[in-house]
Amino acid sequence: MQIGMIGLGRMGANMTRRLMRGGHDCVVHDTQAAAIASLEGEGAEGAKTLPQLVKALAKPRTIWLMVPAAAVDDTLAELTPLLDKHDIVIDGGNSYYRDDIRRASTVHARGLHYVDVGTSGGVAGLERGYCLMIGGETATVKHLDPLFVALAPGAGTAVPTPGRRADAGSADQGYLHCGPHGAGHFVKMVHNGIEYGIMAAYAEGLNILRNANVGKRTDAVNAETTPLRDPAMYQFDMNLPEITEAWRRGSVIGSWLLDLTATALAADPALRSFEGRVSDSGEGRWTIQAAIDEAVPSPVLSAALYARFSSRDQADFANRVLSSMRHEFGGHDELKPDSPKAKP
């Protein structure tokens, strides 16, 4: 198939490469000329402008957007007037599923088709393949099947689930038509909410292991800090790189995220190159909002999202309020980081 790819960042460029490996012809566009030139050198046809991209594609056109969620509406506003009836627009970024429902209605009014594809795989997707969660009309999704086959990991990349019928569907290849417009990004939204929780669990557990030698420290005695009750119980100097390496083999908590964590710890056990400010691109928030609307309890996913907020100093003022109250009711002074009482 021929496809136009708009957005050649960390995901879009490698997706284009994987599509070309699968025998598809790609016309590419990005705001960065260097990104276009790089893929031109690998066999793609470059387009400096959206009109050039549209003109280079045979009708009915298929155009895949891999741009930030905040840029989708502006891109569609510029792109859709250039398209013809029956052309297909795919949003493969991390859009809010409610926006998909709105955009699909707008696009359909022009006689176009719209498909939302939640795409997971990160920078490793070029080799590993991408897990695709798809929303849209059945006929349109079926028409795009060759693209999904090329992008997805494919059958055999995971151990077959016992009892699953061989003809059950495309999920064992790593892609799934989840339902009508918005369903793909709804599933991807919850996928990322779960990701937040798993990542937080690894991070908190490893932090407990890292501080398992707290009993060896000599903390200054002061009235502001509860002393460690049993120092003899916390005398362990844990080797986190080796622990995560062991967990990768046979453990029930093994996962690709654990593999990546082990890689990072092997390179830098103290993770000194990171400051610990964790961003969130929206899906965790939207997952919690859906849980509220559905009246579904999700304390783990909520806590993981709030932990990300705290990592960016969003709890700073709340902590100041706490300190002020302790000072007012009990005369408690803060122990500053450079205070002798605060140091081991």
Side-chain angles (χ1 to χ4, degrees):
M1 291 181 68
Q2 186 188 45
I3 182 171
M5 181 68 75
I6 299 174
L8 306 176
R10 292 190 302 268
M11 294 282 283
N14 278 347
M15 290 172 68
T16 301
R17 293 183 176 101
R18 191 168 173 93
L19 286 167
M20 290 192 295
R21 287 183 183 181
H24 299 285
D25 296 324
C26 296
V27 182
V28 299
H29 170 73
D30 192 89
T31 56
Q32 302 297 318
I36 299 174
S38 177
L39 283 166
E40 282 181 319
E42 299 177 40
E45 180 178 350
K48 294 181 180 179
T49 66
L50 291 184
Q52 287 180 2
L53 179 134
V54 171
K55 185 177 180 180
L57 294 169
K59 302 177 185 179
R61 306 175 182 91
T62 298
I63 300 177
W64 193 306
L65 308 184
M66 284 305 293
V67 300
V72 173
D73 281 328
D74 288 343
T75 304
L76 286 175
E78 184 179 355
L79 176 66
T80 52
L82 306 174
L83 301 179
D84 296 303
K85 192 174 181 180
H86 303 308
D87 287 350
I88 302 170
V89 178
I90 304 166
D91 179 9
N94 281 329
S95 288
Y96 192 19
Y97 79 96
R98 296 189 180 204
D99 290 333
D100 290 314
I101 296 172
R102 168 180 56 81
R103 289 165 183 158
S105 177
T106 302
V107 165
H108 281 189
R110 292 179 173 271
L112 308 172
H113 300 284
Y114 182 90
V115 177
D116 54 284
V117 180
T119 308
S120 181
V123 295
L126 175 60
E127 302 301 332
R128 290 171 53 97
Y130 300 89
C131 179
L132 306 173
M133 296 145 270
I134 307 160
E137 303 160 305
T138 299
T140 305
V141 172
K142 186 175 181 180
H143 170 74
L144 298 172
D145 195 73
L147 299 177
F148 302 141
V149 169
L151 287 169
T157 53
V159 177
T161 300
R164 188 175 189 276
R165 299 195 328 269
D167 61 347
S170 63
D172 60 356
Q173 298 181 58
Y175 71 97
L176 179 68
H177 182 200
C178 300
H181 298 113
H185 276 143
F186 191 97
V187 174
K188 179 57 162 51
M189 172 186 78
V190 177
H191 165 286
N192 281 28
I194 293 170
E195 177 186 301
Y196 285 20
I198 295 172
M199 293 172 70
Y202 281 133
E204 292 178 11
L206 290 169
N207 200 21
I208 294 170
L209 289 172
R210 186 172 185 266
N211 286 280
N213 63 357
V214 65
K216 293 184 176 183
R217 305 172 195 170
T218 305
D219 293 324
V221 177
N222 62 77
E224 302 302 319
T225 307
T226 299
L228 182 63
R229 185 179 181 88
D230 296 306
M233 298 294 103
Y234 299 94
Q235 299 286 322
F236 307 111
D237 293 312
M238 298 296 189
N239 188 324
L240 299 189
E242 289 301 288
I243 289 170
T244 52
E245 193 65 32
W247 282 352
R248 293 181 60 220
R249 293 161 174 82
S251 167
V252 296
I253 62 168
S255 72
W256 186 40
L257 286 173
L258 180 61
D259 294 345
L260 299 176
T261 303
T263 299
L265 288 170
D268 178 9
L271 302 178
R272 293 184 181 87
S273 59
F274 298 93
E275 295 182 4
R277 296 178 63 86
V278 188
S279 299
D280 73 289
S281 54
E283 298 91 338
R285 305 183 190 203
W286 305 333
T287 299
I288 303 310
Q289 183 60 60
I292 293 170
D293 291 343
E294 297 172 5
V296 173
S298 55
V300 172
L301 305 190
S302 298
L305 175 64
Y306 292 139
R308 294 193 175 202
F309 296 163
S310 294
S311 79
R312 306 196 297 268
D313 298 328
Q314 293 299 94
D316 181 67
F317 185 72
N319 291 333
R320 291 169 186 262
V321 173
L322 290 173
S323 287
S324 71
M325 288 190 286
R326 291 187 80 247
H327 179 75
E328 293 299 324
F329 72 67
H332 300 286
D333 292 328
E334 286 187 328
L335 290 182
K336 306 299 182 182
D338 58 352
S339 169
K341 293 182 179 181
K343 290 182 177 181

